[in-house]
Amino acid sequence: MRTTLSLDEDVAKLLNKEIRRNSMSFKQAVNHFLRIGLANSSHPNRKPFTVTPRALGLPPGISYDNVGELLEALESTSEK
């Protein structure tokens, strides 16, 4: 497959260094390091992230049913 590839300057320098060190062509080096990076990018053993909900427990006499009343109560407690 033929494609155009734009590399960041630091990546190009590292790639050219590896090309000289290993006597590879540009194509061989790009394919080699992409394979390594892609093979190491999967993390099948990760534990799934879970959230455990907990009750916040509003003060007595306050409910979520009336948002205006709830905001008033919260503002009055923060001003104290």
Side-chain angles (χ1 to χ4, degrees), residues 47-56:
K47 181 180 174 185
F49 179 78
T50 57
V51 176
T52 306
R54 63 183 179 96
L56 295 177

Side-chain angles (χ1 to χ4, degrees), residues 58-59 62-75:
L58 288 173
I62 298 176
S63 83
Y64 290 113
D65 296 333
N66 187 335
V67 175
E69 189 178 293
L70 177 61
L71 290 173
E72 252 180 61
L74 291 172
E75 287 174 358

Side-chain angles (χ1 to χ4, degrees), residues 4-46:
T4 301
L5 179 64
S6 297
L7 300 174
D8 291 340
E9 192 174 320
D10 61 321
V11 174
K13 284 181 184 178
L14 290 169
L15 189 59
N16 284 326
K17 189 173 161 182
E18 290 299 321
I19 288 169
R20 286 190 302 276
R21 182 183 305 162
N22 297 309
S23 301
M24 304 172 127
S25 70
F26 180 81
K27 178 181 175 180
Q28 288 172 325
V30 168
N31 283 313
H32 173 73
F33 290 108
L34 279 174
R35 279 189 190 97
I36 290 172
L38 292 170
N40 291 327
S41 69
S42 62
H43 302 283
N45 297 333
R46 281 190 177 180

